[in-house]
Amino acid sequence: MSFLEISGLKKHYGPVAALAGVDLSVASGSRTAIVGPSGCGKTTLLRLIAGFEAPDQGHIALDGEVLANGGVAVPAHRRGIGVVAQDGALFPHLTISDNIGFGMGRNEDKRAERIVELAYIVGLDKAILKRRPHELSGGQQQRVALARAMAMKPRLMLLDEPFSALDTGLRASMRKAVAELLEAAGITTILVTHDQAEALSFAAQVAVMRDGKFSQVGTPRDLYLKPKDRMIAEFLGDAIILPAKISDGFASSSLGRIAVDTMERRDVARIMLRPEQIALKRTSREGMSGTSDMPFGEVTESEFAGSTCTIAVRLLNNSDPPDAAAIGNTPLILRKSGMDAPAVGEIVRLTVSGKAHVFA
Amino acid sequence: MKYKLSTLVGATAVAIGLIAGPAMAEDAGIIVYNAQHESLAKEWAEGFTKETGIKVTLRNGGDSDFSNQIVAEGTASPADVFLTENSPAMVLVESAGLFAPVDADTMAQVPQDYQAASGKWVGVAARSTVFAYNTTKLKTDQLPKSLLDLADPSWKGRWAASPSGADFQAIVSALLQLKGQAATADWLKAMKTNFTAYKGNSTVMKAVNAGEIEGGVIYHYYYFGDQAKTGENSKNVALHYFKNQDPGAFVSVSGGGVLASSKHPKEAQAFLKFVTGKGGQEVLKNGTSFEYAVGKGAESNPKLVPLVDLQAPKVDATTLNSKKVTDLMTAAGLL
Amino acid sequence: MAPWLITAAISVSLLALVPLAFIIWIAVQTGWDTVSALVFRPRVGELLVNTTLLVLLAVPIAIILSVALAWLTERSNLPGARLWAWLCVAPLAIPAFVHSYAWITMVPGLHGLWAGVLVSVIAYFPFLYLPISAALRRLDPALEDAAAALGLGPWRVFWRVVLPQLRLAICGGSLLVGLHLLAEYGLYVFIRFDTFTTAIVDQFQSTFNGPAANMLAGVLVTCCFVLLGLEVLVRGEERYARVGSGAARYQQRANLGRATIPSLLLLLVTTLLALGVPFVTIGRWLAAGGTDVWRFDEIGLALGQTLFLALAGALLATVAAMPMAWISIRAPGPLQRLLEGCNYIVGSLPGVVIALALVTITVRIALPLYQTLFTILVAYALMFLPRALVSLRASIAQAPVELERAASSLGRRPLNALWSTTIRLSAPGAAAGMALVALGIMNELTATQMLAPNGTRTLAMAFWSYSGEIDYASAAPYAFIMVAMSLPLTWLLYVQSKRMAGR
């Protein structure tokens, strides 16, 4: 049985449905990420789990205890759920030490030691404890917020875009540190974010949310390689989507014959490839001749951006794709390594590795 | 929009300046520092302007602040005439040497008893000290025989006065002249424990009427003034005159004088002559002030107990010492 | 930075310090023996006890009331919260002495400390309500969520998270209320409660500018400084701004549930006491007085003079505040803080003290200025400079310096550049500040009485004169006009406080 069980959760603000029926189950000690564009309802879901608001309908249970059922809800302060908010929400009138110790009793045993210990766990220097929140950097503030939430030994930890205010470099390292920390503490965690890379790298289970509902829930790998539809595919990363004729586990498309992830299909459908599945090999116009099966292209744009380089390739030998009008002469956009990227005007041969995903 | 707002504010300011500016800067005529009741002085000023065409500007205040103010202003005082309710303020200005002699024909309109022997100021009206009491709380046989009785512990918490007013301070100055400094200081000290302070004689009477307190030391005319209006603040009040030359039977002379520094001495003298003459004194008889008229042959309002029946103590108005009184009262903690 | 601006700002601050320097000078002149005889006497002790008790009782009660009202109107689902919010500000339109005029009519025997506390709280609580409700609106709701998630129930969240963050607002508002309590005269005369200010006026009326009045003023000034110091001490060097950068979510309003009726009752009672009593009383006296009390020539003159004084004073205060406001935004530093401190200290002095100083100075040294329009306008400017400064500073802060620079780079000379950008843009703020100064002048009594040129009779003076003779009916039209003219200005205050909170 799962640790957190959510079913049929609905919440309206006036005429706007923020949540239109959400079901989710989270295993004990696991990490789940909820990802979606802003306004999709993910923050509302988090607030309902935290108990800041009561749902209109639906059911939330944590470790067998019913937290919300219809309009009846256990208030936030009796749930024992830790929350780390977007900007940390540190109490500006308290020192860091008092912030971390806020949820403990004032006379709790070994309060000071616990605070120092928590600060150490989240990687804060002891000297910082006497300071005020505004004297800290964004990353430090988030660590304090995390320590504060961990101090109450929560059953469940909710992270509400906690890394979004941080610099790009810091973000990745914080994410890794927090993931490891919570793992070590064995705390079940739900992360809400609009950053798909963050969601995919952080969690064992990712839920993509749109318009108040989950469009797809699964492992990061499944979601990335087998998204249910085009929108999910593009939300989770760059995608090349092509019309293709499917049969016997292969698709024939403008990129030639490509293996697909299903044997059953036998129809015209759209397939999806991730750009990293396509390799470019320099050649010349002369090299194209005689190999009608192989897709070739001409580089029409090449935008260097340091480690990566965005390349536009116009296919040259269109082998009669089933839906030519739709794709037209739209070039393929591929993000490749900045090292040794082909220049504009060069002719390249395209090779596909792995299988393409067929949309329903 | 923002531009319009500032223009609007500016335009309004200019417009109001144009309207109100002249109202503040118009020709003032003679300036009277008036410590008398505003309504009485206004009647005098209007009557005078009607008779002579000379404009009068009143600056209203109290005896003490004006007398001290005139002394502080010295010869630069903007005032032409000074009118008071009581004599001590007159004495203060006189002893600073700031009064011009009052015209002889003005002096001739008022009996000797009601003017300064020095000829520097003249009485314009008079008022009598009374003990106003609540008729339901006090019977006539329970009334104090003398002002001095109010110092008795049996009167603790039962009587009121307005110690910050010049009226009461004038009464104290009479006490000082009649009984000496030591006795006055003792009486004031007892008063501090016995009495309840109100601001203004009207307020004292109102409190007596409401039964908040049994009686109060005030002047007579507050009662008659209120009776002439609605009587709302005096319907439970009766006046007790101490008589018997008691300090509490003190009759205070309101004075008028012309400042030596006046820039309109002729007009100022004419004003004083009007006030002490037939026109001015008839205002006292017929108006709503209910103060005693002091002009020769002038009659007071028939409702009042005649001046001669009051058996007032003999007090030399020209030596009443206001400075000493405020010092004593400050020392007693009344100020 | 333009040197003439600094010169102007320094001159204004020096002028502001004149009354203070004067009190010290008088004390030195008077000599220690007289000073100690006048200061260390039982009467001063009595006044000190009275004044201290008044502040110690009225301020905490006003704080509790204001926090409750602000929370109900800003953070609960109280029906008609917006209307109630305005009704909580509206009592400011009623001059304090009109409040006690009303109370003394309703309850004739009302007097003493508790009467003083009652009427003071009613007359001045909006000074606390305004900043507290603004601060409540500005609070980051995420903090309350965080506290709840950390296991705190609603009450403890309020005590440990909300209340501490209201500290600045409460300190500032309490200081304002405290200073008003020290400075107010008319309110306490009606209900026969002696404070330093009433005693100074008594002394002034008995001895004009005698040493006793000046020494009482010295003690009163010391009390003001004690309040200022206390406020600085309690406020501390705290920073309560939002720490994070995320956009503030709209706050949730608490569901009052069964507490709705008692909450409504609290607001209703407050409104009845603070607005009902004065309005009913004025109405009653107007009805009793009939048409006789509407002496239009007299009232018209008083109205014209009051408006003139109010607008001229407001203009002067705003112009005087301009250099200081500009410097404090564009070139903040130790000099600016020092100058600004001077102005705030003087702004906190009671009108009676400033007037007393100006009377004595003009009589003794600058006689041509004595009893002139100029002197009274200077007094108003000194008294109300902080009001103009606060509004101006806020609006200059919203006019980016880049515009001024752009104008300069387009060939405008500095003054012209300043005029065509910053001053233009800060005009609405300046207008709001002027309105607030005008409101203060309109209801000012003590300084006006002491300093006004001959022939001046403002609405407040006329009201005071009539009510002094217990002619409450004749005083009623003046009270009515003062209230009617001030009401729109309180609306302005209300709107301004909303805007300052970012909504």
Side-chain angles (χ1 to χ4, degrees):
Chain A
M1 190 189 149
S2 63
F3 185 64
L4 175 70
E5 192 69 52
I6 293 172
S7 61
L9 210 58
K10 286 187 183 173
K11 179 78 182 172
H12 287 252
Y13 294 111
V16 184
L19 288 186
V22 167
D23 306 286
L24 181 70
S25 67
V26 173
S28 179
S30 73
R31 290 199 299 278
T32 298
I34 297 168
V35 63
S38 60
C40 70
K42 56 189 191 297
T43 297
T44 303
L45 174 60
L46 201 77
R47 293 177 59 74
L48 292 185
I49 299 173
F52 300 146
E53 286 171 64
D56 296 337
Q57 275 178 49
H59 187 87
I60 303 174
L62 182 67
D63 201 11
E65 179 195 350
V66 175
L67 294 184
N69 196 4
V72 187
V74 175
H77 63 279
R78 299 213 191 96
R79 291 197 178 187
I81 294 177
V83 179
V84 177
Q86 194 167 2
D87 50 18
L90 299 187
F91 303 118
H93 59 291
L94 300 177
T95 62
I96 298 309
S97 166
D98 286 340
N99 259 288
I100 296 176
F102 192 88
M104 306 177 188
R106 277 174 210 260
N107 307 314
E108 198 177 294
D109 229 20
K110 296 185 178 166
R111 185 173 185 271
E113 287 90 329
R114 284 261 295 141
I115 290 170
V116 173
E117 187 193 331
L118 283 161
Y120 175 78
I121 291 175
V122 298
L124 285 172
D125 192 77
K126 210 173 142 182
I128 235 169
L129 290 176
K130 288 202 174 62
R131 297 206 201 149
R132 293 283 170 125
H134 68 270
E135 296 170 296
L136 268 54
S137 71
Q140 287 172 322
Q141 289 187 17
Q142 290 299 23
R143 287 170 195 267
V144 175
L146 188 67
R148 182 178 70 179
M150 287 178 67
M152 53 176 284
K153 299 173 186 144
R155 298 187 280 176
L156 176 68
M157 182 73 86
L158 304 177
L159 306 176
D160 185 3
E161 309 226 14
F163 314 118
S164 65
L166 307 182
D167 295 337
T168 325
L170 190 59
R171 203 182 299 172
S173 64
M174 261 300 273
R175 186 165 66 214
K176 190 158 178 287
V178 168
E180 285 168 0
L181 211 114
L182 292 168
E183 175 98 49
I187 299 172
T188 315
T189 306
I190 296 179
L191 167 77
V192 151
T193 177
H194 64 269
D195 179 340
Q196 80 288 350
E198 190 165 293
L200 296 175
S201 68
F202 183 86
Q205 173 178 247
V206 175
V208 179
M209 197 167 187
R210 196 192 307 146
D211 298 334
K213 274 192 241 170
F214 286 150
S215 344
Q216 195 174 356
V217 181
T219 64
R221 188 168 295 274
D222 267 2
L223 287 183
Y224 188 70
L225 296 177
K226 297 179 178 177
K228 222 151 85 185
D229 57 33
R230 179 174 185 151
M231 277 174 78
I232 297 172
E234 290 181 335
F235 183 74
L236 292 177
D238 293 337
I240 292 165
I241 292 161
L242 301 167
K245 205 179 278 169
I246 320 282
S247 62
D248 305 328
F250 283 91
S252 60
S253 70
S254 54
L255 286 177
R257 205 169 123 85
I258 307 166
V260 295
D261 55 2
T262 169
M263 293 298 283
E264 283 83 54
R265 297 283 288 270
R266 188 176 292 273
D267 56 357
V268 172
R270 279 165 192 276
I271 58 167
M272 181 209 78
L273 286 165
R274 292 295 181 187
E276 51 273 26
Q277 289 179 270
I278 299 176
L280 299 181
K281 199 165 181 191
R282 274 203 190 79
T283 177
S284 60
R285 275 180 198 275
E286 292 71 46
M288 284 168 61
S289 54
T291 48
S292 61
D293 247 16
M294 291 272 190
F296 287 88
E298 182 186 353
V299 175
T300 55
E301 275 173 55
S302 173
E303 190 184 291
F304 179 72
S307 64
T308 62
C309 183
T310 307
I311 296 162
V313 178
R314 184 166 59 86
L315 293 177
L316 291 174
N317 53 341
N318 252 338
S319 55
D320 186 27
D323 201 1
I327 191 165
N329 266 345
T330 311
L332 301 177
I333 308 292
L334 303 169
R335 202 163 297 154
K336 291 281 144 198
S337 159
M339 290 292 288
D340 197 30
V344 174
E346 284 193 84
I347 303 296
V348 288
R349 200 176 85 192
L350 295 88
T351 358
V352 176
S353 59
K355 289 178 177 173
H357 172 65
V358 183
F359 286 135
Chain B
M1 174 58 207
K2 282 174 180 171
Y3 176 67
K4 272 189 200 153
L5 187 67
S6 60
T7 318
L8 194 70
V9 171
T12 321
V14 169
I16 288 177
L18 287 177
I19 300 162
M24 304 206 59
E26 66 190 331
D27 171 44
I30 59 169
I31 291 174
V32 175
Y33 275 17
N34 169 48
Q36 259 291 352
H37 283 255
E38 215 177 310
S39 45
L40 173 61
K42 224 159 98 182
E43 275 190 86
W44 277 337
E46 279 163 9
F48 176 67
T49 306
K50 212 161 125 193
E51 204 174 281
T52 62
I54 301 168
K55 250 194 75 73
V56 176
T57 297
L58 297 175
R59 184 182 179 88
N60 298 302
D63 281 9
S64 317
D65 47 328
F66 271 145
S67 55
N68 284 290
Q69 187 172 348
I70 291 171
V71 172
E73 290 166 358
T75 53
S77 175
D80 297 300
V81 176
F82 181 30
L83 291 182
T84 65
E85 296 194 296
N86 303 285
S87 320
M90 282 286 148
V91 178
L92 187 72
V93 176
E94 187 191 342
S95 50
L98 294 171
F99 275 139
V102 178
D103 281 359
D105 44 349
T106 304
M107 296 299 264
Q109 297 190 100
V110 179
Q112 296 254 316
D113 282 356
Y114 300 124
Q115 51 172 268
S118 60
K120 292 294 176 86
W121 59 271
V122 63
V124 295
R127 60 267 302 281
S128 169
T129 312
V130 294
F131 185 74
Y133 63 97
N134 185 301
T135 48
T136 60
K137 296 225 163 187
L138 279 178
K139 298 278 161 288
T140 45
D141 57 331
Q142 296 168 314
L143 293 168
K145 298 280 172 294
S146 161
L147 181 71
L148 300 175
D149 291 355
L150 294 174
D152 193 88
S154 64
W155 278 96
K156 187 167 162 49
R158 294 170 59 199
W159 66 284
S162 170
S164 60
D167 291 353
F168 188 78
Q169 291 175 12
I171 298 169
V172 177
S173 72
L175 180 66
L176 178 64
Q177 197 186 95
L178 292 166
K179 300 290 170 185
Q181 181 169 336
T184 306
D186 287 347
W187 189 82
L188 288 173
K189 221 171 115 190
M191 168 181 172
K192 168 82 180 170
T193 43
N194 279 3
F195 95 126
T196 305
Y198 286 81
K199 284 222 162 52
N201 288 333
S202 313
T203 323
V204 171
M205 184 175 73
K206 189 166 176 269
V208 169
N209 182 61
E212 287 171 35
I213 194 102
E214 292 175 25
V217 177
I218 58 171
Y219 283 147
H220 73 281
Y221 59 88
Y222 292 96
Y223 172 79
F224 295 100
D226 192 68
Q227 286 284 309
K229 276 189 265 176
T230 58
E232 194 187 335
N233 291 316
S234 61
K235 53 180 185 282
N236 305 319
V237 174
L239 299 186
H240 167 56
Y241 293 86
F242 288 102
K243 302 194 176 175
N244 293 323
Q245 282 77 41
D246 188 78
F250 169 63
V251 169
S252 185
V253 178
S254 306
V258 173
L259 276 297
S261 56
S262 166
K263 283 160 205 81
H264 313 91
K266 251 176 58 197
E267 289 84 350
Q269 292 285 358
F271 180 70
L272 220 50
K273 189 173 174 195
F274 170 82
V275 169
T276 51
K278 195 160 173 294
Q281 294 294 299
E282 261 183 4
V283 168
L284 292 172
K285 183 188 157 204
N286 302 328
T288 54
S289 73
F290 293 95
E291 296 186 39
Y292 287 104
V294 293
K296 279 181 186 158
E299 279 173 34
S300 298
N301 192 301
K303 285 192 183 131
L304 303 180
V305 180
L307 255 182
V308 288
D309 297 346
L310 292 177
Q311 300 169 23
K314 188 90 181 132
V315 172
D316 180 4
T318 56
T319 61
L320 292 176
N321 190 336
S322 56
K323 175 78 172 58
K324 189 90 216 162
V325 166
T326 48
D327 284 352
L328 284 172
M329 291 179 71
T330 301
L334 292 165
L335 284 177
Chain C
M1 183 166 54
W4 63 269
L5 266 175
I6 298 186
T7 317
I10 292 179
S11 327
V12 170
S13 307
L14 284 181
L15 185 66
L17 283 181
V18 164
L20 203 58
F22 166 78
I23 301 243
I24 297 168
W25 178 65
I26 285 281
V28 172
Q29 284 254 308
T30 313
W32 175 247
D33 288 348
T34 320
V35 170
S36 63
L38 285 172
V39 171
F40 300 107
R41 60 189 177 108
R43 175 69 174 156
V44 175
E46 262 170 49
L47 295 172
L48 199 59
V49 168
N50 272 3
T51 309
T52 311
L53 281 179
L54 179 72
V55 173
L56 285 184
L57 289 170
V59 171
I61 294 175
I63 291 174
I64 294 167
L65 178 69
S66 304
V67 170
L69 295 178
W71 188 85
L72 284 174
T73 52
E74 295 300 331
R75 299 298 297 278
S76 79
N77 65 345
L78 189 81
R82 276 179 62 100
L83 175 68
W84 288 117
W86 184 63
L87 288 175
C88 286
V89 182
L92 280 184
I94 300 163
F97 49 82
V98 174
H99 273 292
S100 63
Y101 154 86
W103 277 94
I104 208 74
T105 304
M106 287 265 177
V107 193
L110 198 70
H111 75 277
L113 178 63
W114 286 105
V117 170
L118 170 77
V119 185
S120 306
V121 168
I122 283 165
Y124 293 122
F125 81 85
F127 282 125
L128 270 158
Y129 172 84
L130 269 175
I132 291 176
S133 61
L136 269 180
R137 271 197 296 276
R138 211 163 34 218
L139 277 194
D140 185 354
L143 295 181
E144 286 153 70
D145 285 351
L150 290 167
L152 266 62
W155 272 107
R156 289 173 66 209
V157 170
F158 185 81
W159 277 107
R160 289 184 61 189
V161 176
V162 177
L163 210 52
Q165 298 197 77
L166 297 180
R167 195 155 106 182
L168 275 189
I170 290 176
C171 279
S174 301
L175 178 66
L176 205 57
V177 172
L179 291 174
H180 272 90
L181 296 181
L182 291 185
E184 179 55 34
Y185 168 70
L187 192 167
Y188 302 116
V189 169
F190 270 116
I191 53 164
R192 294 189 292 118
F193 181 67
D194 284 339
T195 67
F196 275 109
T197 298
T198 65
I200 291 171
V201 176
D202 282 355
Q203 275 289 349
F204 181 79
Q205 283 172 353
S206 303
T207 63
F208 195 50
N209 57 347
N214 281 310
M215 286 311 104
L216 285 178
V219 180
L220 180 56
V221 169
T222 313
C223 290
C224 290
F225 285 172
V226 167
L227 276 191
L228 284 172
L230 269 181
E231 199 258 351
V232 170
L233 217 67
V234 176
R235 182 187 54 192
E237 288 291 312
E238 303 285 330
R239 194 194 105 124
Y240 290 141
R242 296 167 57 90
V243 175
S245 52
R249 206 166 31 78
Y250 268 63
Q251 291 151 331
Q252 272 181 287
R253 284 177 175 265
N255 193 351
L256 287 175
R258 269 185 305 184
T260 306
I261 300 293
S263 304
L264 277 174
L265 265 177
L266 175 69
L267 277 151
L268 191 68
V269 168
T270 309
T271 309
L272 279 180
L273 295 184
L275 293 171
V277 170
F279 277 108
V280 166
T281 307
I282 293 174
R284 193 192 126 185
W285 286 119
L286 283 178
T291 50
D292 290 349
V293 296
W294 292 92
R295 303 174 190 110
F296 282 107
D297 48 340
E298 203 183 291
I299 293 174
L301 192 67
L303 181 62
Q305 290 185 340
T306 307
L307 282 178
F308 174 75
L309 285 176
L311 281 173
L315 200 64
L316 184 65
T318 309
V319 169
M322 194 69 94
M324 177 74 59
W326 192 87
I327 289 176
S328 70
I329 295 299
R330 296 286 192 255
L335 171 74
Q336 159 262 332
R337 277 200 295 278
L338 182 72
L339 295 181
E340 215 173 80
C342 294
N343 288 321
Y344 277 110
I345 285 175
V346 173
S348 69
L349 294 186
V352 65
V353 173
I354 291 179
L356 199 58
L358 289 181
V359 164
T360 315
I361 289 167
T362 50
V363 161
R364 290 199 192 170
I365 304 167
L367 204 65
L369 294 177
Y370 179 61
Q371 281 186 6
T372 56
L373 193 57
F374 174 80
T375 307
I376 190 158
L377 290 181
V378 166
Y380 287 149
L382 293 185
M383 289 167 69
F384 298 116
L385 200 66
R387 290 194 191 199
L389 200 54
V390 168
S391 301
L392 261 183
R393 212 168 43 170
S395 57
I396 290 182
Q398 283 165 359
V401 67
E402 286 73 19
L403 292 182
E404 219 172 287
R405 295 201 184 120
S408 296
S409 72
L410 290 170
R412 300 287 185 101
R413 276 187 282 180
L415 191 56
N416 191 317
L418 187 67
W419 172 259
S420 56
T421 56
T422 305
I423 291 181
R424 262 310 158 68
L425 285 171
S426 60
M434 273 182 71
L436 294 184
V437 175
L439 176 68
I441 295 176
M442 215 145 52
N443 301 336
E444 213 290 330
L445 181 63
T446 34
T448 312
Q449 273 181 330
M450 287 161 78
L451 290 170
N454 283 317
T456 307
R457 190 179 159 96
T458 64
L459 294 169
M461 285 165 84
F463 171 85
W464 191 248
S465 155
Y466 279 122
S467 59
E469 295 186 17
I470 320 287
D471 193 352
Y472 288 170
S474 296
Y478 294 96
F480 176 76
I481 294 173
M482 280 189 278
V483 173
M485 293 209 308
S486 306
L487 265 181
L489 296 182
T490 62
W491 177 258
L492 189 81
L493 262 178
Y494 173 69
V495 171
Q496 203 187 28
S497 82
K498 290 226 134 171
R499 193 174 330 130
M500 263 159 44
R503 265 209 237 165

